[in-house]
Coordinates of all heavy atoms in Angstrom, one line a residue:
D5 N -2.1 6.2 0.5 CA -3.3 5.5 0.6 C -3.7 5.0 2.0 O -4.8 4.4 2.2 CB -3.3 4.3 -0.4 CG -3.2 4.7 -1.8 OD1 -3.7 5.7 -2.2 OD2 -2.5 3.9 -2.6
R10 N -6.8 10.9 13.8 CA -6.2 11.8 14.7 C -6.9 11.7 16.0 O -8.1 11.8 16.1 CB -6.3 13.2 14.1 CG -5.6 13.4 12.8 CD -5.8 14.9 12.3 NE -4.9 15.1 11.1 CZ -5.3 14.9 9.9 NH1 -6.5 14.4 9.6 NH2 -4.5 15.1 8.9
I11 N -6.1 11.6 17.1 CA -6.6 11.5 18.4 C -6.1 12.6 19.3 O -4.9 12.8 19.4 CB -6.3 10.1 19.0 CG1 -6.9 9.0 18.2 CG2 -6.7 10.0 20.5 CD1 -6.4 7.6 18.6
I14 N -6.9 14.3 26.3 CA -7.2 15.5 27.1 C -7.5 15.2 28.5 O -7.9 14.1 28.8 CB -8.3 16.4 26.5 CG1 -9.6 15.5 26.4 CG2 -8.0 16.9 25.1 CD1 -10.8 16.3 25.8
L24 N 0.6 8.0 29.6 CA -0.3 7.1 29.0 C -0.1 7.0 27.5 O -0.1 5.9 26.9 CB -1.7 7.6 29.3 CG -2.9 6.9 28.7 CD1 -4.1 7.0 29.7 CD2 -3.4 7.5 27.3
T30 N 4.9 2.9 22.8 CA 6.2 2.2 22.9 C 6.2 1.1 23.9 O 7.1 0.3 23.9 CB 7.3 3.2 23.4 OG1 7.1 3.5 24.8 CG2 7.3 4.4 22.5
T48 N 2.5 4.7 12.5 CA 1.7 3.8 11.6 C 1.6 2.5 12.2 O 2.6 1.8 12.6 CB 2.4 3.7 10.2 OG1 2.6 5.0 9.7 CG2 1.6 2.9 9.3
D52 N -6.2 -5.5 12.3 CA -6.9 -6.4 11.4 C -7.5 -5.7 10.2 O -7.5 -6.3 9.1 CB -8.0 -7.2 12.2 CG -7.4 -8.1 13.2 OD1 -6.2 -8.5 13.1 OD2 -8.1 -8.5 14.1
D62 N -1.1 15.2 22.6 CA -1.2 15.2 24.1 C -1.4 16.7 24.4 O -0.5 17.5 24.3 CB 0.1 14.6 24.7 CG 0.2 14.8 26.2 OD1 -0.8 15.3 26.8 OD2 1.3 14.5 26.7
A81 N -11.1 11.6 17.2 CA -11.5 10.9 18.4 C -10.7 11.5 19.6 O -9.6 12.1 19.4 CB -11.2 9.4 18.4
V85 N -9.0 11.6 30.0 CA -8.3 10.9 31.1 C -8.5 11.7 32.4 O -8.5 12.9 32.4 CB -6.8 10.9 30.8 CG1 -6.1 10.0 31.8 CG2 -6.5 10.3 29.4
I88 N -7.8 8.7 39.3 CA -8.8 8.1 40.2 C -8.6 8.6 41.6 O -9.5 8.5 42.5 CB -8.8 6.6 40.2 CG1 -7.5 6.1 40.9 CG2 -9.0 6.0 38.9 CD1 -7.5 4.6 41.3
T89 N -7.4 9.3 41.9 CA -7.2 9.9 43.2 C -7.5 11.4 43.3 O -7.2 12.0 44.3 CB -5.7 9.6 43.6 OG1 -4.9 10.5 42.9 CG2 -5.3 8.2 43.4
A106 N -21.8 17.7 22.8 CA -22.7 18.8 22.3 C -22.3 19.2 20.9 O -23.1 19.9 20.2 CB -22.6 19.9 23.2
G110 N -19.2 15.8 16.1 CA -18.0 15.9 16.9 C -17.3 14.5 16.9 O -17.8 13.5 16.4
A113 N -15.4 9.5 21.6 CA -14.6 9.7 22.8 C -14.5 8.4 23.6 O -15.3 7.5 23.4 CB -15.3 10.8 23.7
L122 N -2.9 3.2 42.5 CA -3.0 3.9 43.7 C -4.4 3.8 44.4 O -5.0 4.7 44.8 CB -2.7 5.4 43.5 CG -1.4 5.7 42.8 CD1 -1.2 7.2 42.6 CD2 -0.2 5.2 43.7
L125 N -5.4 5.4 47.6 CA -5.6 6.8 47.6 C -6.9 7.2 46.8 O -7.1 8.4 46.6 CB -4.4 7.6 47.1 CG -3.1 7.4 47.8 CD1 -2.0 8.1 47.0 CD2 -3.2 7.9 49.2
A139 N -23.3 7.7 30.8 CA -24.1 8.9 30.6 C -23.8 9.7 29.3 O -24.6 10.4 28.8 CB -24.0 9.8 31.8
V149 N -0.9 3.2 34.0 CA 0.2 3.3 33.0 C 1.5 2.9 33.6 O 2.5 2.7 32.9 CB 0.2 4.6 32.3 CG1 -1.1 4.9 31.5 CG2 0.5 5.8 33.2
A150 N 1.6 2.9 34.9 CA 2.9 2.5 35.6 C 3.1 1.0 35.4 O 4.2 0.5 35.5 CB 2.9 2.8 37.1
F178 N -3.6 23.9 14.2 CA -3.1 24.6 15.4 C -1.6 24.2 15.7 O -1.1 23.3 15.0 CB -4.0 24.3 16.7 CG -3.8 22.9 17.2 CD1 -3.0 22.6 18.2 CD2 -4.6 21.8 16.7 CE1 -2.9 21.3 18.7 CE2 -4.5 20.6 17.2 CZ -3.7 20.3 18.2
K182 N 6.7 20.7 20.9 CA 7.6 19.7 21.5 C 7.6 18.4 20.7 O 6.8 18.2 19.8 CB 7.1 19.4 22.9 CG 7.2 20.5 24.0 CD 8.6 20.4 24.6 CE 8.6 21.4 25.7 NZ 9.8 21.3 26.5
M183 N 8.6 17.6 21.0 CA 8.8 16.3 20.3 C 8.9 15.2 21.3 O 9.3 15.4 22.4 CB 10.0 16.4 19.4 CG 9.8 17.5 18.3 SD 11.1 17.4 17.1 CE 12.5 18.0 18.1
N202 N 6.6 -2.3 16.5 CA 5.4 -3.1 16.3 C 4.9 -2.9 14.9 O 3.7 -2.5 14.7 CB 4.4 -2.8 17.3 CG 3.2 -3.8 17.3 OD1 3.5 -4.9 17.0 ND2 2.1 -3.3 17.7
P208 N 8.9 11.7 15.9 CA 8.8 13.0 16.6 C 8.5 14.1 15.6 O 9.3 14.2 14.6 CB 10.1 13.2 17.3 CG 10.8 11.8 17.3 CD 10.3 11.1 16.1
C209 N 7.5 14.9 15.8 CA 7.1 15.9 14.8 C 7.6 17.2 15.2 O 7.5 17.7 16.3 CB 5.6 15.9 14.6 SG 5.0 14.3 13.9
R218 N 5.8 17.6 7.3 CA 7.2 17.7 7.6 C 7.6 17.3 9.0 O 6.8 17.6 9.9 CB 7.7 19.1 7.4 CG 7.7 19.6 5.9 CD 8.1 21.0 5.8 NE 7.3 21.9 6.7 CZ 7.6 23.2 6.9 NH1 8.6 23.7 6.3 NH2 6.8 23.9 7.6
L232 N 4.1 -3.4 21.7 CA 2.8 -3.3 22.2 C 2.0 -4.6 22.1 O 2.2 -5.3 21.1 CB 2.1 -2.2 21.5 CG 2.8 -0.8 21.6 CD1 2.1 0.2 20.7 CD2 2.7 -0.3 23.0

Side-chain angles (χ1 to χ4, degrees):
D5 295 330
R10 297 179 174 90
I11 298 175
I14 60 180
L24 178 145
T30 71
T48 300
D52 291 342
D62 169 9
V85 187
I88 70 161
T89 72
L122 302 180
L125 300 175
V149 297
F178 71 95
K182 288 272 186 171
M183 295 187 293
N202 193 32
C209 294
R218 293 178 302 174
L232 298 175

